[in-house]
Amino acid sequence: LKAHEVRAVINFAAETHVDRSIASPLPFYETNIMGTAVLLEQVRRYVSTLGSEESGDFRFVHISTDEVYGSLGPDDRAFSEASPYRPNSPYAASKAASDHLVRAVRETYGLGAIITNCSNNYGPLQYPEKLIPLVVNKALRRESLPIYGDGLQRRDWLYVGDHCSALRLVLETGRPGETYNIGGGAELTNLAVVKHICGLLDRKSPRPDGTPYESQIAFVNDRPGHDRRYAVDSSKLRVELGWEPAHSFAAGIERTLDWYLA
């Protein structure tokens, strides 16, 4: 921090895979809670050595998740920044705890911290155990495409490039002490996402035998504590900072699939 005269820290670092948090929660607590605590403490000490103008301009942007809010019913309004925290998995609980640490340091020491809570990201280069890369890779290997339960769990999908554009805007013009929700405005069931990918693969990389990729779908037992629905209200970010996602789900997923096929 001192050597590079850092003016901002953006904390993306996290263990994020819910299945792994269920099987082995301690690494999630260590990384997401204690890791954030270490960053905050070092930043707090560093900012205390700066002049008043530099310390006032310093920003700590903490990247969190909509999962801290828990699960929505089918007709509930989307999560807002005022929604209560109700995490339902070890992953979500660890991220909720880290959000509270950021808030506490912000309130106690006056750190110029901002929290963002995003919906499900997708795009090129995503870690392969996540739903979309998992489905694409398994489909191309002619393996079964596992879907938890009935596949009707709903998620708001956000193209990674749109997430990054929102974060740049928050870093540049966001108000210290605020929380901003970032969603793609594309609420779909897991089953619909998988079927959409299958349809794109049928067109772009058809199986030699002509069988549709949907034939590889296999329903498996649901995971414990599986939240039924997430939806994110990004109106605060849109109204205050003028952000809009540039990619519809159809455009973003096609761009993503083209990257995998290439």
Side-chain angles (χ1 to χ4, degrees), residues 30-86:
E30 291 163 358
T31 296
N32 297 351
I33 302 173
M34 288 308 301
T36 300
V38 168
L39 279 177
L40 286 167
E41 180 60 10
Q42 295 307 313
V43 165
R44 181 186 71 80
R45 292 181 181 182
Y46 168 68
V47 171
S48 71
T49 69
L50 302 177
S52 59
E53 184 174 347
E54 289 85 358
S55 63
D57 289 341
F58 190 93
R59 294 291 178 269
F60 186 100
V61 180
H62 177 67
I63 314 304
S64 191
T65 170
D66 57 0
E67 295 195 36
V68 301
Y69 301 125
S71 185
L72 289 169
D75 300 318
D76 291 344
R77 297 181 65 177
F79 297 127
S80 74
E81 290 80 0
S83 296
Y85 275 37
R86 291 172 178 159

Side-chain angles (χ1 to χ4, degrees), residues 14-34:
E15 296 276 0
T16 65
H17 196 54
V18 176
D19 287 357
R20 287 184 180 272
S21 82
I22 293 169
S24 183
L26 285 179
F28 285 74
Y29 305 152
E30 291 163 358
T31 296
N32 297 351
I33 302 173
M34 288 308 301

Side-chain angles (χ1 to χ4, degrees), residues 34-170:
M34 288 308 301
T36 300
V38 168
L39 279 177
L40 286 167
E41 180 60 10
Q42 295 307 313
V43 165
R44 181 186 71 80
R45 292 181 181 182
Y46 168 68
V47 171
S48 71
T49 69
L50 302 177
S52 59
E53 184 174 347
E54 289 85 358
S55 63
D57 289 341
F58 190 93
R59 294 291 178 269
F60 186 100
V61 180
H62 177 67
I63 314 304
S64 191
T65 170
D66 57 0
E67 295 195 36
V68 301
Y69 301 125
S71 185
L72 289 169
D75 300 318
D76 291 344
R77 297 181 65 177
F79 297 127
S80 74
E81 290 80 0
S83 296
Y85 275 37
R86 291 172 178 159
N88 291 324
S89 70
Y91 161 62
S94 69
K95 290 299 290 183
S98 69
D99 291 5
H100 292 319
L101 291 176
V102 174
R103 176 182 171 83
V105 171
R106 183 175 75 199
E107 295 298 315
T108 302
Y109 303 102
L111 180 68
I114 301 171
I115 298 170
T116 62
N117 297 88
C118 71
S119 60
N120 280 35
N121 277 219
Y122 70 96
L125 293 166
Q126 190 169 27
Y127 197 69
E129 66 187 1
K130 300 292 187 175
L131 176 64
I132 288 174
L134 181 79
V135 166
V136 173
N137 288 325
K138 282 183 173 292
L140 294 174
R141 293 196 298 263
R142 307 295 186 264
E143 298 174 5
S144 64
L145 309 179
I147 294 182
Y148 282 128
D150 59 9
L152 300 183
Q153 305 87 357
R154 299 183 69 86
R155 301 292 183 261
D156 179 7
W157 292 93
L158 173 65
Y159 184 70
V160 64
D162 290 330
H163 188 191
C164 290
S165 72
L167 294 175
R168 292 190 191 98
L169 198 59
V170 167

Side-chain angles (χ1 to χ4, degrees), residues 15 37 123 187 196 204 218 221 230-231 262:
E15 296 276 0
E187 193 181 337
H196 191 94
K204 292 174 176 288
N221 290 335
Y230 305 138

